[in-house]
């Protein structure tokens, strides 16, 4: 437990082994966390320096965004070498120091692995470009002839997720597939050499002591073998979260996860420490999602429906109920998220304007955090959410780096606003983010109002987002009613969502703006805002211990 005492639920042998089932993992977007070198870009040494902060917050582990060698066309999700560290972020020796420091603090380390695509500068792709059509080197990717009399039309009508066609033509006339950008060619998982290479990559990092992997685009990998036209290509490209069913969620992908699970269990059998596979799975329903977390596949997969649900009690109840029925029904636990590096920050998404620390979005984001931490299963927190950071919506065009902006010319779907470097201290940029000279500039500019969200100020203010998260995490670790388990819905007034956990813990959220009678009497154990006994104010969540 985070305050030094083993809780009742952590003391059981089952949950000590299956640590991931109710873990709280903090997502570290490395380039925006903390810069140790003064170049304006966060790095692994900065993550290591920030570990005591994360230990104080009370998380169980960290997930590191890609730090591998990369031309950084998509900030590391275009990997040129899966078994190295880009000099921007350090080297393997620094990575080993980070893993060792995390282990001493009892913090698990998960790596972000990208098996759907690589960088166009990956040695295997460069070899493919230099090889003839039909060669083994080209078979590792999706190279094929085009349509039309001279092959000048793309092989099919698929759109890339980040805008534009999903195909690029090379000098000899063939085309290659990229479901994101031309700098990110998709692997062909029907080639056995690709599977063998990722087996080697997994073992490389497991041998260095990592505790598991977050898997990017886990529903991807396999494409329909005939590469047919999509029946609705415009729908496939309409939003970033839409997926082409011919390029996503193909049945063969489940064999990959069965094999990866067997690799992780091989390591677990050696030392008793379970390694985790958690997938980024974008599929149409909780029932389809559940197929990825069957007992011999991924341990967990992010459940994004809570993140995308409108601020409405019935919508929240529906997605929570479906997740509990379909996903938890497999024997896994639900993996709850409210935000990540691809989404508008929670405070802004729930209605907060771009500046200021008060308002409806702030109250709702605090309430949603408390609700998520009370749900059965695991929870992932994106860096800066514990500070209540809003989305930075006014970045000028000339500093934007998101490939979506470069590909579409539109700001509608860009992700730079949630990736602005964290403020740590002080009254002006770089707010302690970089250790360089006062003139050192973070890779994305920080707005002046970040001063009120700096971590030093948050730690000193017991009413801050940080203290709400810290107190919620401490109680989650200490109370046997929380963490893994089930919930029971309560009868509540209109606009209020309430449920009971275990032996008498109640969580309730008032989705409206007017106060309402609390579902139980007494002063709350923890609340997201001022909450007198017997009353649940608008846009507030609270926890009570009560015999029901």
């Amino acid at each position: 437990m985070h305050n030094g005492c083993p809780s009742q639920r952590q003391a059981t042998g089952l949950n000590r082994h299956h640590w991931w089932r109710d873990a709280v993992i903090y997502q570290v977007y490395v380039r925006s966390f903390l810069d140790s070198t003064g170049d304006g870009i966060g790095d692994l040494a900065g993550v290591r320096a920030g570990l005591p902060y994360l230990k104080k917050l009370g998380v169980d582990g960290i997930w590191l965004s890609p730090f591998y060698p990369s031309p950084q066309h998509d900030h590391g999700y275009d990997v040129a070498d899966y078994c190295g560290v880009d000099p921007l972020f350090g080297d393997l020796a620094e990575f080993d120091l980070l893993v060792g420091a995390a282990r001493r603090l009892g913090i698990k380390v998960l790596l972000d692995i990208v098996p759907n695509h690589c960088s166009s500068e990956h040695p295997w792709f460069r070899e493919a470009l230099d090889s003839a059509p039909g060669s083994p080197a080209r078979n590792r990717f999706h190279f094929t002839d085009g349509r039309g009399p001279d092959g000048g039309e793309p092989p099919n009508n698929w759109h890339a997720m980040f805008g534009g066609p999903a195909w690029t033509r090379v000098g000899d006339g063939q085309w290659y597939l990229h479901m994101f950008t031309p700098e990110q060619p998709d692997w062909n998982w029907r080639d056995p050499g690709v599977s063998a290479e990722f087996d080697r990559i997994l073992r490389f990092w497991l041998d260095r002591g990592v505790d598991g992997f977050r898997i990017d685009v886990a529903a991807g990998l396999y494409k329909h073998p005939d590469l047919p036209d999509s029946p609705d290509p415009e729908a496939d490209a309409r939003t970033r979260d839409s997926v082409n069913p011919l390029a996503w969620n193909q049945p063969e992908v489940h064999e990959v996860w069965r094999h990866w699970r067997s690799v992780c269990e091989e390591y677990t059998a050696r030392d008793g420490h379970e390694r985790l596979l958690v997938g980024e799975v974008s599929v149409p329903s909780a029932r389809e999602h559940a197929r990825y977390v069957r007992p011999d596949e991924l341990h967990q997969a992010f459940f994004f429906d809570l993140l995308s649900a409108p601020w409405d009690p019935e919508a929240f109840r529906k997605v929570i109920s479906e997740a509990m029925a379909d996903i938890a029904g497999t024997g896994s636990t639900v993996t709850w998220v409210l935000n990540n590096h691809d989404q508008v920050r929670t405070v802004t998404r729930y209605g907060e304007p771009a500046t200021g620390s008060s308002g409806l979005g702030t109250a709702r984001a605090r309430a949603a955090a408390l609700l998520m931490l009370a749900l059965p299963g695991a929870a992932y927190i994106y860096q800066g959410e514990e500070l209540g950071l809003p989305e930075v919506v006014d970045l000028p065009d000339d500093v934007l780096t998101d490939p979506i902006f470069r590909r579409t010319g539109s700001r509608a779907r860009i992700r730079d606003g949630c990736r602005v470097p964290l403020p740590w201290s002080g009254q002006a940029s770089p707010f302690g983010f970089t250790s360089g000279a006062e003139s050192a500039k973070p890779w994305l500019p920080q707005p002046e109002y970040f001063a009120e969200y700096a971590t030093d100020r948050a730690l000193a203010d017991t009413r801050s987002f940080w203290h709400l998260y810290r107190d919620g995490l401490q109680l989650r670790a200490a109370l046997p009613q929380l963490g893994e388990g089930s919930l029971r819905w309560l009868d509540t007034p209109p606009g209020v969502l309430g449920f009971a956990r275990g032996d008498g813990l109640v969580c309730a959220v008032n989705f409206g703006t007017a106060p309402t009678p609390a579902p139980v009497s007494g002063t709350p154990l923890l609340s997201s805002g001022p909450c007198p006994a017997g009353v649940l104010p608008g846009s507030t969540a609270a926890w009570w211990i009560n015999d029901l």
Side-chain angles (χ1 to χ4, degrees):
M1 164 182 170
H2 307 297
N3 63 9
C5 304
S7 71
Q8 294 180 43
R9 63 182 174 85
Q10 289 175 321
T12 67
L14 174 65
N15 283 334
R16 185 171 58 248
H17 180 66
H18 299 297
W19 60 269
W20 49 272
R21 295 183 66 85
D22 54 10
V24 177
I25 307 296
Y26 184 95
Q27 181 190 353
V28 175
Y29 196 71
V30 176
R31 64 169 41 238
S32 295
F33 186 71
L34 185 59
D35 169 27
S36 72
T37 63
D39 65 356
I41 297 174
D43 47 52
L44 295 179
V47 177
R48 180 160 60 95
L51 288 176
Y53 164 81
L54 298 176
K55 178 67 174 178
K56 184 180 294 186
L57 181 62
V59 300
D60 298 299
I62 56 174
W63 145 33
L64 301 173
S65 64
F67 51 76
Y68 315 109
S70 164
Q72 302 294 318
H73 290 294
D74 190 20
H75 294 322
Y77 285 92
D78 49 324
V79 182
D81 176 4
Y82 287 86
C83 295
V85 175
D86 195 296
L88 275 174
F89 306 119
D91 53 27
L92 283 172
E94 179 54 51
F95 174 80
D96 292 339
L97 290 173
L98 169 57
V99 171
R103 181 175 291 115
R104 288 189 293 274
L105 291 172
I107 295 175
K108 307 288 187 182
V109 177
L110 308 182
L111 302 193
D112 206 323
I113 193 165
V114 189
N116 180 73
H117 51 268
C118 65
S119 166
S120 55
E121 296 187 18
H122 191 284
W124 280 14
F125 188 73
R126 293 202 304 266
E127 179 186 358
L129 291 177
D130 293 338
S131 300
S135 64
R138 286 209 171 176
N139 196 54
R140 296 167 177 156
F141 302 91
H142 295 276
F143 277 89
T144 191
D145 296 328
R147 298 192 289 194
D150 61 352
E153 298 296 323
N156 63 32
N157 64 354
W158 294 3
H159 284 281
M161 298 286 284
F162 289 173
W167 296 91
T168 290
R169 201 176 192 189
V170 299
D172 58 26
Q174 282 205 312
W175 300 73
Y176 70 89
L177 179 69
H178 49 83
M179 292 305 298
F180 290 88
T181 71
E183 294 83 13
Q184 295 167 288
D186 280 40
W187 292 106
N188 175 17
W189 275 83
R190 300 185 189 280
D191 185 302
V194 173
S195 177
E197 175 64 2
F198 274 91
D199 191 273
R200 180 186 73 86
I201 293 163
L202 291 180
R203 294 177 185 278
F204 176 86
W205 292 109
L206 289 168
D207 289 341
R208 299 193 91 92
V210 305
D211 298 288
F213 301 93
R214 177 267 185 185
I215 305 165
D216 190 59
V217 195
L221 280 62
Y222 279 88
K223 279 62 179 174
H224 190 289
D226 299 327
L227 300 176
D229 275 346
S230 170
D232 192 357
E234 296 304 319
D236 298 339
R238 194 164 294 135
T239 72
R240 184 179 63 237
D241 299 318
S242 295
V243 293
N244 180 343
L246 300 169
W248 248 249
N249 202 26
Q250 295 291 300
E252 299 93 333
V253 76
H254 295 282
E255 288 304 316
V256 177
W257 309 137
R258 290 187 180 99
H259 176 66
W260 284 29
R261 180 70 173 255
S262 71
V263 172
C264 288
E265 290 185 350
E266 174 189 325
Y267 279 79
T268 298
R270 295 178 189 176
D271 57 19
H273 298 297
E274 196 158 15
R275 275 69 171 187
L276 169 64
L277 297 174
V278 56
E280 180 196 34
V281 174
S282 298
V283 290
S285 68
R287 182 166 299 178
E288 194 68 30
H289 181 116
R291 297 183 63 219
Y292 286 83
V293 293
R294 290 175 289 193
D296 61 345
E297 295 194 37
L298 303 177
H299 300 82
Q300 294 176 325
F302 296 117
F303 184 66
F304 295 121
D305 291 30
L306 190 67
L307 182 158
S308 60
W311 185 255
D312 174 81
E314 292 307 314
F316 269 61
R317 179 167 178 158
K318 180 176 184 292
V319 299
I320 293 168
S321 295
E322 289 176 351
M324 294 301 298
D326 294 328
I327 299 170
T330 66
S332 180
T333 54
V334 185
T335 306
W336 308 102
V337 292
L338 288 172
N339 198 246
N340 61 36
H341 65 292
D342 289 332
Q343 303 294 332
V344 173
R345 284 200 176 272
T346 311
V347 164
T348 302
R349 195 172 73 244
Y350 286 147
E352 176 71 356
T355 61
S357 61
S358 62
L360 193 60
T362 294
R364 289 174 171 178
R366 290 173 63 91
L370 214 52
L371 180 146
M372 179 181 71
L373 293 177
L375 290 172
Y380 280 65
I381 300 169
Y382 177 50
Q383 69 178 37
E385 289 292 289
E386 82 283 6
L387 301 174
L389 285 179
E391 185 85 353
V392 181
V393 298
D394 55 355
L395 292 168
D397 287 357
D398 60 355
V399 305
L400 296 178
T401 63
D402 194 326
I404 294 175
F405 180 69
R406 298 198 307 269
R407 297 273 291 169
T408 67
S410 170
R411 300 174 64 98
R413 296 158 52 197
I414 60 173
R415 301 161 296 169
D416 287 308
C418 69
R419 301 176 177 183
V420 174
L422 295 184
W424 289 88
S425 61
Q427 298 298 316
S429 183
F431 298 111
F433 165 73
T434 176
S435 60
E438 289 298 319
S439 59
K441 293 183 178 180
W443 69 279
L444 281 174
Q446 300 159 305
E448 292 181 3
Y449 61 78
F450 262 32
E452 66 183 276
Y453 299 96
T455 58
D456 61 347
R457 182 176 295 191
L459 268 66
D461 181 1
T462 58
R463 300 166 299 175
S464 70
F465 261 88
W466 190 91
H467 280 273
L468 179 71
Y469 270 94
R470 195 279 307 271
D471 293 348
L473 290 175
Q474 285 191 338
L475 287 170
R476 182 182 167 98
L479 295 174
Q481 298 97 323
L482 293 173
E484 185 180 354
S486 60
L487 63 77
R488 176 168 55 89
W489 294 111
L490 303 177
D491 292 330
T492 54
V496 175
L497 187 67
F499 56 86
R501 295 293 320 279
D503 184 18
L505 186 134
V506 170
C507 173
V509 183
N510 184 353
F511 282 76
T513 56
T516 188
V520 295
S521 60
T523 302
L525 186 66
L526 181 63
S527 63
S528 62
C531 191
V535 176
L536 185 59
S539 306
T540 298
W543 296 353
W544 295 263
I545 296 290
N546 188 273
D547 293 328
L548 296 175

